[in-house]
Amino acid sequence: MSARRKTTVAVIFGGRSVEHDVSIVTGHQVMRAFDPERTDVVPVYIDRQGRWYTGEPLRELKNFQNEIISLKGVHSAILSPSTEHHGLIVNPTAGRFEKSEIIRLDAVFPTVHGTHGEDGTLQGLFELADIAYVGCRVLASALANDKVMTKITLSQQGVPIVDAVSFTRAEWLDAPDKVISHILHQLKYPMFVKPATLGSSIGISKVSDEVLLRTGIEMAANLDRRILVEQGVEKAIEINCSVMGHDDQIRASVLEQPVSWDQFLTYEDKYMRGSEGMKSAERLIPAPLSPEMTEEIRNLAVRAFRGIEGSGIARLDFLIQPDTSKIYLNEINTMPGSLAFYLWQEEGMSPRDVVYALVDAARDAQAEKRRNSYDYRTSLVELTAARGLKGAKGSKGGAKTITKPSG
Ligand SMILES: Nc1ncnc2c1ncn2[C@@H]1O[C@H](COP(=O)(O)OP(=O)(O)O)[C@@H](O)[C@H]1O
Ligand SMILES: [Mg+2]
């Protein structure tokens, strides 16, 4: 192990997302977990406007209290999509006084939560750049980020989810009464109205009559083009489980029961629950459930993560109805806050073990992907050039040459 060359890993945090601040904290927890003897960590900060930076001051959490980007030593940077660079270009628009520089990367560790980070967009950039990256691939990231698509995908695979109705903003604006009557036909109060793709409870409301239902939909429709209305689970107990791995090597962590609601509930919910919901403890680990139920949830977590083609790490959130003991999968977070370090700690894995397991898995996934060939040569361009462009489209004779390799 120690004989191995020192690797360079960029940790990316911040992002154009409502979860910007949480991501700064997760990013710093991850950076701190690396062993400086084995790894050069390159901090990469994406600000709220979506501008990218790197530099020494980004390593200090306290520097983020002020205008960090104006600090000396913070440089503008971009992750190049070109496989030629295989990394970061620092000062990409350098003029006379600053030189631009390329930092080649062995792996990228994204810790951006929510939009433009956890939703497959950032992952798409890593795919283009051909750099190993931690966590879910494009498909799983995009699926899990979308509450409607997660439900459609997982219900087809027998993972229990609460009943729900979904529709687009256009459908709502076009015929609100029709949408309401469809919802009332399918679901009972209380219901939860959610924008399809936001996190941190933004735009989510719990509603118990038609006036509130309409207001909740209006609010969600201002935030997203698709809206989900779910059957509320009464007296729901929340249970979270983290998973790590890929394919048939996914393991589930100990379960936690969060009991502090703070940032995850809407103002109304907090207000309605009053002091009763605001217990002092933050989470119970392990969650106080029977061994059978614990096992069932752990198995469901693994199945659901496989069901979306997940890889790397995630935290899956479940709801239990205590009277019927029914379990429902609520959502999958493919970039969980604090990377669920606290759950893996209970499984005997330190944050350092977790980050290296994830980087190793990222590099394995990259090696696996490199077995695909993307190079397929044809004489199409040559032939088309000879014939002239006009003849290419719709010319039946010419179409055959597309499948003929030049050899
Ligand atoms: N169908 C439901 N029944 C009961 N409680 C729910 C339901 N959906 C959401 N909640 C509550 O609202 C919280 C936020 O909803 P969630 O879907 O997890 O959104 P977010 O992506 O913002 O975390 C959950 O943690 C849970 O407490
Ligand atoms: Mg949630």
Side-chain angles (χ1 to χ4, degrees):
M1 275 270 166
S2 55
R4 271 204 298 192
R5 167 180 85 84
K6 210 170 169 184
T7 54
T8 306
V9 177
V11 175
I12 306 185
F13 51 89
R16 197 146 56 91
S17 153
V18 294
E19 291 163 280
H20 180 96
D21 295 348
V22 189
S23 167
I24 296 176
V25 175
T26 304
H28 280 77
Q29 287 171 321
V30 166
M31 286 197 287
R32 202 177 48 191
F34 277 98
D35 175 359
E37 302 283 316
R38 284 161 70 187
T39 311
D40 281 324
V41 172
V42 180
V44 176
Y45 170 57
I46 306 176
D47 76 3
R48 289 173 206 277
Q49 282 81 44
R51 297 173 298 192
W52 291 48
Y53 300 93
T54 190
E56 288 308 303
L58 303 180
R59 294 181 198 278
E60 281 294 326
L61 197 53
K62 64 174 180 352
N63 287 341
F64 286 82
Q65 287 158 5
N66 303 310
E67 250 318 273
I68 181 126
I69 61 171
S70 53
L71 291 184
K72 192 163 176 285
V74 176
H75 303 281
S76 145
I78 50 175
L79 188 96
S80 171
S82 169
T83 55
E84 181 192 345
H85 304 122
H86 209 268
L88 272 187
I89 305 179
V90 186
N91 292 323
T93 55
R96 271 174 56 159
F97 302 107
E98 277 181 324
K99 267 196 17 225
S100 76
E101 181 201 347
I102 294 172
I103 303 178
R104 294 184 76 81
L105 300 172
D106 296 299
V108 184
F109 201 128
T111 62
V112 179
H113 305 301
T115 45
H116 309 117
E118 195 175 338
D119 58 359
T121 52
L122 197 52
Q123 289 72 14
L125 176 59
F126 307 146
E127 293 284 347
L128 292 176
D130 202 26
I131 302 176
Y133 64 97
V134 165
C136 282
R137 311 290 93 181
V138 174
L139 175 67
S141 304
L143 270 178
N145 194 249
D146 185 307
K147 293 182 160 79
V148 175
M149 294 313 286
T150 304
K151 276 182 185 285
I152 293 173
T153 308
L154 292 182
S155 62
Q156 288 200 346
Q157 307 193 38
V159 175
I161 48 166
V162 293
D163 289 337
V165 169
S166 71
F167 47 92
T168 62
R169 171 160 56 206
E171 284 168 325
W172 167 249
L173 294 175
D174 197 44
D177 292 342
K178 197 169 140 202
V179 170
I180 294 285
S181 108
H182 180 61
I183 294 169
L184 295 180
H185 202 73
Q186 302 287 325
L187 310 172
K188 300 193 305 273
Y189 295 115
M191 299 170 197
F192 278 76
V193 184
K194 307 178 179 183
T197 63
L198 294 176
S200 290
S201 293
I202 310 275
I204 297 190
S205 48
K206 181 180 181 181
V207 301
S208 45
D209 63 46
E210 195 179 318
V211 175
L212 289 174
L213 175 61
R214 284 177 186 265
T215 320
I217 296 174
E218 287 292 343
M219 174 169 73
N222 275 326
L223 296 165
D224 207 328
R225 63 171 286 278
R226 271 177 311 125
I227 299 103
L228 179 71
V229 180
E230 274 182 4
Q231 182 62 62
V233 176
E234 301 225 47
K235 299 183 267 177
I237 297 173
E238 298 198 62
I239 298 292
N240 303 340
C241 176
S242 181
V243 291
M244 220 194 290
H246 61 93
D247 298 322
D248 56 359
Q249 288 159 38
I250 299 170
R251 50 188 285 222
S253 74
V254 65
L255 305 186
E256 68 163 325
Q257 179 180 347
V259 281
S260 150
W261 300 76
D262 51 297
Q263 58 182 314
F264 296 105
L265 281 193
T266 59
Y267 171 78
E268 291 92 313
D269 268 325
K270 276 183 199 168
Y271 180 74
M272 273 153 46
R273 282 171 203 271
S275 58
E276 204 233 320
M278 311 292 277
K279 300 258 165 62
S280 53
E282 283 197 347
R283 46 177 72 107
L284 303 171
I285 303 176
L289 300 174
S290 70
E292 294 75 27
M293 193 170 256
T294 300
E295 232 7 68
E296 194 179 341
I297 292 177
R298 284 161 55 105
N299 288 335
L300 274 175
V302 171
R303 217 165 91 207
F305 194 54
R306 273 201 90 164
I308 60 157
E309 279 281 305
S311 56
I313 193 165
R315 197 195 68 230
L316 294 93
D317 298 351
F318 294 87
L319 299 170
I320 302 176
Q321 208 296 318
D323 304 330
T324 60
S325 299
K326 274 203 160 174
I327 302 166
Y328 304 94
L329 176 86
N330 178 38
E331 63 163 347
I332 306 180
N333 299 288
T334 54
M335 192 48 68
S338 305
L339 230 70
F341 280 152
Y342 55 95
L343 292 175
W344 293 104
Q345 200 101 46
E346 298 288 316
E347 300 285 339
M349 284 182 89
S350 66
R352 180 159 296 176
D353 296 334
V354 173
V355 296
Y356 280 105
L358 290 172
V359 169
D360 287 348
R363 302 187 79 181
D364 290 348
Q366 177 72 355
E368 171 72 26
K369 189 189 165 193
R370 289 217 165 122
R371 293 174 58 190
N372 301 346
S373 170
Y374 299 100
D375 200 357
Y376 184 67
R377 291 172 198 235
T378 71
S379 45
L380 177 67
V381 176
E382 226 171 274
L383 285 168
T384 312
R387 265 180 219 175
L389 264 184
K390 257 189 276 173
K393 208 176 168 192
S395 141
K396 283 189 185 125
K400 286 201 190 79
T401 56
I402 296 174
T403 54
K404 199 169 147 194
S406 64

